[in-house]
Amino acid sequence: MRKIAIYGKGGIGKSTTTSNLSAVLALKGYKVMQVGCDPKSDSTKNLMKGMRIPTVLEQLKEKGEALELKDIVFEGFGGVLCVEAGGPTPGIGCAGRGIISAFEKLEELKAFEIYKPDIVIYDVLGDVVCGGFAMPIRGGYAREVFIVSSGEMMALYAANNIAQAIKNFGRRGYARLKGIILNAKNIENEQELVAKAAAEIETEVVMYVPRSGDIQTAENQGGTVCEFVQASPMVKIYQELADKVLEMSEDIKGDE
């Protein structure tokens, strides 16, 4: 099983990138599970025809100990298994704690042993790397981390913070930073800016994802380019990203 985390600041296109990546991997024949780790709970909607699925936290609150896997794991486009950790009511409680509760419940219900995914992708909000948001890195859930960034200052600032957190946890044998996925915003000298920032945090730009209206066209229909704009050049871009992620990730036994 490959265990990958994709981090990035809010609004950078991390969930769009992750869902398109999951769709491509599923079409390549892999059994993929995507776990949304953002209180907005919108990571998987492009795999679920634009629908929001019930979150682990919502179902825990409603069903308690009667909660079953079928209440929190939903099959989306291409057979991708979709999970949303969820978050607390705004202003009440800690979103990071919500992620921890969700992960604990997935383990308790033996989700990975039962579904046996080939690839698990955690889609994680990277504005802060504290508590539950660091869970995929430090909890042994993810082995490889990719950061989605543009050339915007705040996106690069967040990327630097995420890289520092990974470096700190990496010394303890947890996840490793594999590189930056440049999700272009078409700002001036963007590729040079991101390449320079990547070098400063001792990593590389693994993929340049150009800005494309096809993404919005697909999302307006509730899905990925693989599903709704199959002739788009973006399909090939995400296929190339999938190949790179596979090449740079390690296939390990589920009990490691």
Side-chain angles (χ1 to χ4, degrees):
M1 184 166 70
R2 297 170 198 265
K3 303 192 287 185
I4 296 157
I6 297 183
Y7 275 77
K9 77 175 287 295
I12 203 61
K14 146 186 67 63
S15 294
T16 296
T17 301
T18 306
S19 54
N20 277 279
L21 174 61
S22 291
V24 165
L25 287 166
L27 292 177
K28 284 177 177 285
Y30 291 94
K31 189 172 188 179
V32 183
M33 177 180 280
Q34 181 171 319
V35 183
C37 305
D38 185 323
K40 293 197 305 296
S41 310
D42 60 354
S43 171
T44 59
K45 66 181 175 62
N46 288 334
L47 297 165
M48 296 295 304
K49 304 284 188 193
M51 290 189 304
R52 182 186 178 280
I53 61 174
T55 71
V56 179
L57 282 190
E58 287 168 350
Q59 297 290 68
L60 261 174
K61 189 175 179 182
E62 184 182 328
K63 303 193 175 183
E65 290 305 310
L67 182 71
E68 299 178 54
L69 278 176
K70 65 181 176 62
D71 298 320
I72 55 174
V73 182
F74 301 86
E75 189 171 313
F77 174 75
V80 177
L81 300 166
C82 299
V83 180
E84 292 284 358
T89 303
I92 303 170
C94 169
R97 178 65 224 172
I99 293 169
I100 293 170
S101 298
F103 278 35
E104 286 174 347
K105 183 52 68 172
L106 285 169
E107 277 205 349
E108 182 189 319
L109 295 176
K110 300 191 182 302
F112 304 115
E113 292 90 335
I114 289 168
Y115 287 106
K116 295 184 172 62
D118 302 310
I119 304 168
V120 180
I121 304 180
Y122 300 96
D123 174 12
V124 196
L125 182 67
D127 291 74
V128 290
V129 196
C130 63
F133 293 104
M135 196 74 170
I137 305 172
R138 66 180 172 82
Y141 291 95
R143 293 275 296 197
E144 289 85 21
V145 179
F146 295 86
I147 301 172
V148 176
S149 182
S150 68
E152 295 165 312
M153 184 180 71
M154 291 310 295
L156 292 172
Y157 179 75
N160 181 67
N161 283 344
I162 296 160
Q164 290 305 316
I166 295 163
K167 192 175 286 187
N168 291 338
F169 289 125
R171 296 191 187 103
R172 305 174 212 174
Y174 292 144
R176 303 159 296 187
L177 176 59
K178 304 304 286 188
I180 292 176
I181 299 166
L182 168 49
N183 194 40
K185 299 285 188 184
N186 290 351
I187 66 171
E188 192 174 352
N189 300 322
E190 187 163 30
Q191 287 181 264
E192 292 82 355
L193 281 170
V194 178
K196 183 172 181 284
E200 286 173 1
I201 58 176
E202 298 175 351
T203 192
E204 62 179 327
V205 177
V206 300
M207 189 73 200
Y208 170 72
V209 179
R211 199 166 177 82
S212 170
D214 292 342
I215 302 293
Q216 194 63 51
T217 299
E219 292 196 344
N220 287 343
Q221 296 177 76
T224 62
V225 287
C226 287
E227 186 174 5
F228 290 112
V229 199
Q230 294 170 7
S232 171
M234 294 305 294
V235 174
K236 190 173 181 184
I237 294 286
Y238 288 120
Q239 286 171 340
E240 191 178 335
L241 174 60
D243 289 340
K244 289 193 175 182
V245 167
L246 288 169
E247 182 187 320
M248 298 175 82
S249 60
E250 188 180 349
D251 197 1
I252 59 173
K253 293 178 182 176
D255 58 353
E256 282 188 38

Coordinates of all heavy atoms in Angstrom, one line a residue, residues 102-113 139 141:
A102 N -11.2 11.2 13.7 CA -11.6 10.5 12.4 C -10.6 9.4 12.1 O -11.0 8.3 11.8 CB -11.7 11.5 11.3
F103 N -9.3 9.7 12.3 CA -8.3 8.7 12.0 C -8.4 7.5 13.0 O -8.2 6.4 12.6 CB -6.9 9.4 12.1 CG -6.5 10.1 10.9 CD1 -7.4 10.8 10.1 CD2 -5.1 10.1 10.5 CE1 -7.0 11.5 9.0 CE2 -4.7 10.8 9.4 CZ -5.6 11.5 8.6
E104 N -8.6 7.9 14.2 CA -8.8 6.8 15.2 C -9.9 5.9 14.9 O -9.8 4.7 15.1 CB -8.9 7.4 16.6 CG -7.6 8.0 17.2 CD -7.9 8.8 18.5 OE1 -9.0 9.1 18.8 OE2 -6.8 9.2 19.1
K105 N -11.0 6.5 14.4 CA -12.2 5.7 14.1 C -11.9 4.8 12.9 O -12.3 3.6 12.9 CB -13.4 6.6 13.9 CG -14.7 5.8 13.6 CD -15.1 4.8 14.6 CE -15.4 5.3 16.0 NZ -15.9 4.3 16.9
L106 N -11.2 5.3 11.9 CA -10.9 4.5 10.7 C -10.0 3.3 11.1 O -10.2 2.2 10.6 CB -10.2 5.4 9.7 CG -11.0 6.4 8.9 CD1 -10.1 7.3 8.1 CD2 -12.0 5.6 7.9
E107 N -9.1 3.5 12.0 CA -8.3 2.5 12.5 C -9.1 1.4 13.3 O -8.9 0.2 13.1 CB -7.1 3.0 13.4 CG -6.0 3.5 12.6 CD -4.7 3.5 13.4 OE1 -4.7 3.3 14.6 OE2 -3.6 3.7 12.8
E108 N -9.9 1.9 14.2 CA -10.7 1.1 15.0 C -11.6 0.2 14.2 O -11.8 -1.0 14.5 CB -11.6 1.9 16.0 CG -12.5 1.2 16.9 CD -13.4 2.1 17.7 OE1 -13.0 3.2 18.1 OE2 -14.6 1.7 17.8
L109 N -12.2 0.7 13.1 CA -13.0 -0.1 12.2 C -12.3 -0.9 11.2 O -12.9 -1.5 10.3 CB -14.0 0.9 11.5 CG -15.0 1.6 12.4 CD1 -15.9 2.6 11.6 CD2 -15.9 0.6 13.2
K110 N -10.9 -0.8 11.2 CA -10.1 -1.6 10.3 C -10.4 -1.3 8.8 O -10.4 -2.2 8.0 CB -10.2 -3.1 10.6 CG -9.8 -3.4 12.0 CD -9.6 -4.9 12.2 CE -9.3 -5.3 13.6 NZ -8.1 -4.7 14.1
A111 N -10.5 0.0 8.5 CA -10.9 0.4 7.2 C -9.9 0.0 6.1 O -10.2 -0.5 5.1 CB -11.0 2.0 7.1
F112 N -8.6 0.1 6.5 CA -7.5 -0.2 5.5 C -7.4 -1.7 5.3 O -7.2 -2.2 4.2 CB -6.2 0.4 5.9 CG -6.3 1.9 6.1 CD1 -6.1 2.4 7.4 CD2 -6.6 2.7 5.1 CE1 -6.2 3.8 7.6 CE2 -6.7 4.1 5.2 CZ -6.5 4.6 6.5
E113 N -7.6 -2.5 6.4 CA -7.6 -4.0 6.3 C -8.8 -4.5 5.5 O -8.6 -5.4 4.7 CB -7.5 -4.6 7.7 CG -6.3 -4.4 8.5 CD -6.4 -3.1 9.3 OE1 -7.1 -2.2 9.0 OE2 -5.6 -3.1 10.3
G139 N 1.9 10.5 12.4 CA 1.2 9.3 12.9 C 1.5 8.1 12.2 O 0.9 7.0 12.4
Y141 N 0.8 7.6 9.1 CA -0.3 7.3 8.1 C 0.3 7.5 6.7 O 0.0 6.7 5.8 CB -1.5 8.3 8.4 CG -2.2 7.9 9.6 CD1 -2.0 8.6 10.8 CD2 -3.2 6.9 9.6 CE1 -2.6 8.2 12.0 CE2 -3.9 6.6 10.7 CZ -3.6 7.2 11.9 OH -4.3 6.9 13.1

